[in-house]
Amino acid sequence: MVSEDSAEGGTVRRRSALLPAAVAAVVVAAVFAASGIIRGTFPFGSLSRSTNDLGTQYIPFFAHLWDVLHGRAQGDLLFNWQSAFGVGFLADVGVDLGSPLSLLVGLFPRDQIDLAVYVVTTLKLSLAAAAMAAVLLSMRPGPRWVAAILGVSYGACGWALDDGSYVPMWLDGLIALPMFFLVAEWSLRRTNRLLSVLVVAVFWLSNFYTAYMATIAGGIYLLARLLSSDLSWSLRLRSVVRHGVSFALGMALVAPVLLPIVTTNRAATPSPSGIFHASAIDLFLSRLLPLSEGVGRTASLYVGTIALLLALTMPFNKFVPWREKAVWVVTIVAVGWSFRWAPTQEFWHAFDTPNGSQYREAFVLCGLLVAVAWISVAHKLPGPIALLGGAALLALIAVLSEGSPLLTEHWLIVLIASGALTVVAFGIIWTLRRIPGTRRTKWPVAAAFGVLLAVVAVETTWTAVITDVQRSKVLSTSAAPWDDKQTARYDALRDAGGWPAYRTEPGTSITPNDPILLGGQGAGQYSSLLPHSVNQMMTELGFGWSGYGRAAHTLDNPATDAIFSVGARMRLIGDGAPEIGRATVPPLVTVRRRLDAAVPLDTNAPNAYAAQERLLGSKVYEVPEYKGTRFAGGDVKLVAKCAPGSSAYLFMPRVGGRARLAEGRWWELSSTRRPGINTSSAMVGLGTVPANGIVLIEVNFGDAPQGIPPRNAIGCLSPAALRKAVKSLRATGATDVKASGHSLHATLPADSKGWAVIGVPKISGWTCRVAGGKPQTPRNFGGLMAVPLTGAADRVDCTFVPPGLRRGLAIGAAAAVATLGIVLIGAVRRRRRTAS
């Protein structure tokens, strides 16, 4: 039953699986495209498909990958000079861009990056469908036309349409699941040792998050196959050990990426864990049915009426052995129950309950349901009793789901029509197979295949449209596709660029990831791996953020521009046209005789003005005392006094609303969406202090009245003092700065003494040498890197190596040696057996 297949048999099996896999892939691509055409979404219409993070995070990262592939990025695969003033990049590659399919974006023009991501997304859905169709035939011989239909059902399952379609890296898990089923089959048959390890490595590299879930599912699948087999317990144990070794070695092979991800994640800005609340049973079951949508509130379990009905025939299919029935029924029920119990739900998410969609593992149950449907059919086509029994269970699910608000109009009509056609088609084939003269007649099978394939295509397309409609009402689109305005901004930034002599700040007006989407080198970055130390530094300096601190925003302030050497800044005027402003700023590396002491921590009233002055090394702000008056509705007026002609700033972090100076223009503080938790406002420049020196600031909190800090909210910047500070830093700063992929080289004035302060965030991984001396870890100076210049120095060289990379390379090398050793030992043993 599970003996190793001959080479000839393997060839026949591969050939037999090719056509069903191809049909499944083409139909799923057609379904995904048709749903976009009907909805009028990109690239078939004017509606953006960049729901939630697709436009603000993933597409910009793909754009940066394009720049890296074409040699246009500031940085490489290890470091990103463009975002958050300079952060590591390897972990982001592993989380968002690890799939080999991501490299396909390099084949498209850069201004077609949205199309490139769409094509990659479609290709991943198609590959998942093809993989499932092929793996089903590898699991057990059966009707190829059913394998094709089930492949479509999996590739266009509810999870793929709802959760995965706008989070393209999760779709690697959709492909990984059937491939890990295949690895389990190889473990059973004691074959393909090297290929097993490589398959695991590829998908853990592609996306470790969903690969983790698929790995658990692969283990569950293997246990079910073993318990339902006739193998001895010793052979079962050997299969489990073999399977575990394959996964251990595969994961170890990609340790050079996995370890930096783990290390970077530990240092990342934390976000609050979600609180899991299991959905009601009627809501949970309703997600198995067509035309249902829950936008992350419930598990997306839809696999199509045909696949679900065939899976429900198993308990009644007399051709399936009782033990196999019992094992698979218990497996499906147990996995479904694990989605509803908090401890097991945490286990599916690596013990980190997400604060977004809480059923990200739903594709696992979709895959197992499709596998059960195949097992029922592959033994022998279910007869009338099995079909009617499965239909009765399907009707029971429909009755229990009745009244669920997640079921949209016409769901029952679609369910009845699809179910009836399935029962009739299989019933006719079953009947014809029992009439002597029609047993070998092929046209009924071909007709049934055509009808059922049309049913699954229409039903999944309709469900995809409903899913997108409902999702657009809950999760608004976040960014429009690339257009002529984006091109104008991109060109303006390239023309203004002078890196590394100075930074060109693109702002964060389109997305928080504008520096990698549009170009330049700025404060903006939206990543779950944004270092917490960077977030703290920028918050202390007056920058704002969103996404629980994982999305850093720009700060249009001449003092911070001087600190970070921002010599050019893009601002959008009119209808979004770019305007480049320029400023004289210090070089990226400056020299200080001494480093000022840290600003005393005041949690009730953080002093961003003092923090900026510390990094500038000069006093440039006047921070006056002020009085506040609260009015009805929570609005506040602040009154202070500053030098006439200075620039008035307001810093009230973790609040929402707007503010203005006297009767001037209103300036937005930040979004009012959960201020202090989800968002934090940046320092706002309100205008010039009038001749009487009175600073009168009105603050409107909108619908969320909040308190104001007792001090340090208002600061008045002296332009003259800032010019003097910049002149001083330029006089003693680096005469030449060069930056390569992940290193920085600065030439200092001869006999420089004191400290070299580098306008780059201090994160783990940096080592520096002074005048070619011993490597040393730079010090932390207000969040920036500071290197002591022992004696006199004329050069500083710094290099970044992602934490965990060296250890990961060692583990990966050891895993490669171990894998080759196991393969060679196996080859020698087979040769000896053949010779004997």
Side-chain angles (χ1 to χ4, degrees), residues 271-342:
S271 61
S273 294
I275 300 175
F276 175 71
H277 297 288
S279 57
I281 190 65
D282 59 330
L283 302 183
F284 187 81
L285 291 176
S286 69
R287 296 309 309 279
L288 288 164
L289 304 177
L291 309 190
S292 67
E293 169 50 33
V295 193
R297 291 174 291 170
T298 53
S300 303
L301 303 176
Y302 169 76
V303 290
T305 302
I306 295 176
L308 180 59
L309 177 57
L310 292 178
L312 295 175
T313 63
M314 175 178 274
F316 310 98
N317 192 340
K318 65 179 181 179
F319 301 109
V320 181
W322 71 267
R323 182 169 59 182
E324 196 164 7
K325 284 182 186 178
V327 167
W328 281 106
V329 168
V330 170
T331 297
I332 292 296
V333 172
V335 171
W337 173 79
S338 73
F339 291 3
R340 302 181 50 75
W341 189 39

Side-chain angles (χ1 to χ4, degrees), residues 484-732:
D484 292 340
K485 290 183 179 179
Q486 303 285 59
T487 299
R489 296 160 187 160
Y490 178 78
D491 292 340
L493 289 165
R494 284 178 64 86
D495 292 340
W499 174 258
Y502 59 85
R503 286 186 169 103
T504 301
E505 169 66 85
T508 50
S509 54
I510 310 301
T511 76
N513 277 315
D514 277 0
I516 53 175
L517 178 65
L518 300 177
Q521 311 80 32
Q525 185 183 32
Y526 177 24
S527 169
S528 58
L529 299 176
L530 178 68
H532 185 47
S533 60
V534 176
N535 171 261
Q536 284 183 311
M537 173 194 70
M538 296 175 72
T539 301
E540 291 171 359
L541 292 173
F543 289 79
W545 45 259
S546 59
Y548 305 102
R550 297 177 298 175
H553 292 262
T554 189
L555 173 59
D556 192 347
N557 179 290
T560 52
D561 283 353
I563 292 169
F564 293 101
S565 190
V566 177
R569 175 180 288 274
M570 183 181 74
R571 300 178 179 89
L572 302 183
I573 60 174
D575 61 348
E579 180 183 67
I580 302 295
R582 296 186 178 272
T584 300
V585 293
L588 195 64
V589 180
T590 58
V591 177
R592 319 290 176 87
R593 284 290 183 178
R594 59 181 178 82
L595 301 179
D596 294 338
V599 178
L601 180 62
D602 189 341
T603 56
N604 293 323
N607 193 339
Y609 310 108
Q612 292 181 19
E613 289 175 336
R614 182 189 181 213
L615 297 186
L616 281 171
S618 301
K619 183 170 178 57
V620 296
Y621 282 103
E622 182 182 0
V623 183
E625 295 183 355
Y626 48 84
K627 294 181 179 180
T629 304
R630 186 178 294 276
F631 296 89
D635 292 353
V636 171
K637 281 189 177 180
L638 303 177
V639 180
K641 191 166 186 178
C642 285
S646 58
S647 300
Y649 286 85
L650 180 68
F651 183 50
M652 295 172 59
R654 301 179 181 272
V655 301
R658 57 181 185 162
R660 67 176 177 177
L661 183 63
E663 298 296 325
R665 167 186 171 185
W666 285 103
W667 297 88
E668 294 295 327
L669 297 176
S670 77
S671 165
T672 56
R673 182 189 173 196
R674 302 175 68 186
I677 300 174
N678 187 271
T679 61
S680 182
S681 56
M683 182 182 293
V684 179
L686 301 178
T688 304
V689 177
N692 61 9
I694 301 298
V695 179
L696 176 60
I697 299 175
E698 298 178 54
V699 182
N700 175 256
F701 292 112
D703 297 329
Q706 297 149 74
I708 59 173
R711 54 196 167 277
N712 303 330
I714 300 175
C716 299
L717 176 66
S718 168
L722 180 61
R723 286 194 295 270
K724 182 179 179 181
V726 169
K727 183 178 179 180
S728 174
L729 291 173
R730 286 174 61 87
T732 60

Side-chain angles (χ1 to χ4, degrees), residues 4 8 41 130-131 157 159 231 234 263 397 410 458 464 470 473 574 614 629 643 658 665 684 732-733 810:
E4 187 171 342
E8 182 180 358
T41 55
C157 68
W159 182 90
L231 291 175
S234 62
T263 305
I397 292 174
H410 306 307
V458 171
Q470 296 296 321
K473 296 177 181 179
R614 182 189 181 213
T629 304
R658 57 181 185 162
R665 167 186 171 185
V684 179
T732 60

Side-chain angles (χ1 to χ4, degrees), residues 44 68 121 166 184 195 202 246 272 282 291 299 334 356 415 485 491 531 573 598 624 664 688 714 814 833:
F44 306 105
V68 172
T121 300
Y166 67 95
L195 202 53
V202 165
S246 295
D282 59 330
L291 309 190
L415 180 68
K485 290 183 179 179
D491 292 340
I573 60 174
T688 304
I714 300 175
R833 284 197 300 266

